[in-house]
Amino acid sequence: MEQTAEAGAPAPIRVLLADDQALLRSAFKVLVDSEPDMQVVGEASDGAQALVLARERRADVVLMDIRMPGTDGLAATRLISADPELAGVRVVMLTTFEVDEYVVQALRAGASGFLGKGAEPEELLNAIRIAAAGDALLSPAATKGLIASFLAQGGGGAEDGPVAGALHAERLAGLTGREREVLVLVAAGLSNDEIAGRLEVSPLTVKTHVNRAMAKLGARDRAQLVVIAYESGLVRPRGEDGRARAQ
């Protein structure tokens, strides 16, 4: 039975579960439905079904397994990201391992982030809330330099990497100096509050710069900003710790 929001309370986050393992979906459903601010609105066993249900059930967040038979999670995420009617849908990819060969492909495909299947229950619930808010998600167990490391190595083997990089670099020309500065700090994994402290401005001001950068670069969320920052060459990992630095 679906939960309903109390009068005056915000509507619960509508979550779609996409995984070919029924037992895992059942476990996720029990966990998600136990929270008053979210509810499971559908379950899919492959990517094609996830795409259909995302439309039918008006999902806010899709927990998407990368490896599924038929249409896998990567293909489904690309289709969701390319559909204007699903512009508000956020995808969190579920991986077996934190360092997964498909992580960067998932982010390039339009995912808001990724989470290991071995994550703690609170991490999973927090991931849903973060994604629903439009923020980039890296699970606490993942290092902030993970995306940078993969992109520096041509992560995921995407053939269109150089082309995408050139297009992003051209778009960067439209950013103001402050927006570029904020983008570098976003790519380093800093939150709005941390960026505000670094630049000595308010978090609201940072949010405004982030939103403007997203609009100018055609990014769905912060995760896409991170990918663009590295693919364009604006920043690159530094040393073994993978921390970002501006070019």
Side-chain angles (χ1 to χ4, degrees):
M1 183 176 180
E2 291 190 353
Q3 302 173 17
T4 56
E6 295 181 4
I13 300 169
R14 301 173 65 82
V15 181
L16 175 63
L17 307 176
D19 196 298
D20 60 325
Q21 298 182 49
L23 187 60
L24 196 56
R25 292 200 311 270
S26 296
F28 286 157
K29 178 174 172 54
V30 170
L31 177 64
V32 172
D33 282 342
S34 70
E35 296 296 297
D37 63 335
M38 59 184 72
Q39 66 180 121
V40 172
V41 295
E43 297 181 43
S45 58
D46 60 39
Q49 188 179 18
L51 179 62
V52 172
L53 291 178
R55 291 196 186 100
E56 292 181 351
R57 306 296 171 82
R58 295 178 290 108
D60 297 313
V61 176
V62 180
L63 291 183
M64 182 89 75
D65 186 19
I66 286 184
R67 299 180 181 89
M68 291 184 288
T71 303
D72 64 16
L74 287 173
T77 299
R78 291 190 188 97
L79 292 171
I80 289 174
S81 299
D83 190 335
E85 295 183 5
L86 300 177
V89 178
R90 299 291 178 252
V91 177
V92 175
M93 305 299 296
L94 298 175
T95 68
T96 303
F97 304 102
E98 290 296 323
V99 182
D100 191 290
E101 64 180 302
Y102 296 121
V103 165
V104 171
Q105 288 188 51
L107 293 174
R108 283 175 174 153
S112 293
F114 64 94
L115 192 71
K117 286 189 175 181
E120 293 295 324
E122 283 305 315
E123 290 181 58
L124 179 65
L125 297 173
N126 191 44
I128 293 171
R129 295 184 178 104
I130 290 174
D135 291 333
L137 170 72
L138 292 179
S139 66
T143 63
K144 290 183 177 180
L146 181 60
I147 296 176
S149 298
F150 272 91
L151 288 173
Q153 299 166 16
E159 296 178 358
D160 62 345
V163 176
L167 290 174
H168 293 328
E170 183 177 341
R171 290 176 180 173
L172 288 179
L175 299 183
T176 65
R178 179 62 90 180
E179 287 165 356
R180 290 170 69 95
E181 189 175 9
V182 168
L183 178 55
V184 169
L185 296 176
V186 168
L190 275 64
S191 67
N192 283 358
D193 287 343
E194 291 171 331
I195 295 174
R198 182 78 63 88
L199 301 180
E200 298 184 346
V201 297
S202 73
L204 181 58
T205 296
V206 173
K207 183 177 181 180
T208 298
H209 288 311
V210 170
N211 289 340
R212 286 176 178 170
M214 286 171 55
K216 291 179 180 179
L217 298 174
R220 286 168 59 92
D221 53 30
R222 292 173 76 97
Q224 294 300 294
L225 283 181
V226 173
V227 172
I228 290 171
Y230 283 103
E231 286 189 329
S232 66
L234 177 64
V235 295
R236 68 181 184 184
R238 177 179 60 194
E240 295 181 355
D241 62 359
R243 297 289 291 186
R245 75 173 175 186
Q247 294 299 289

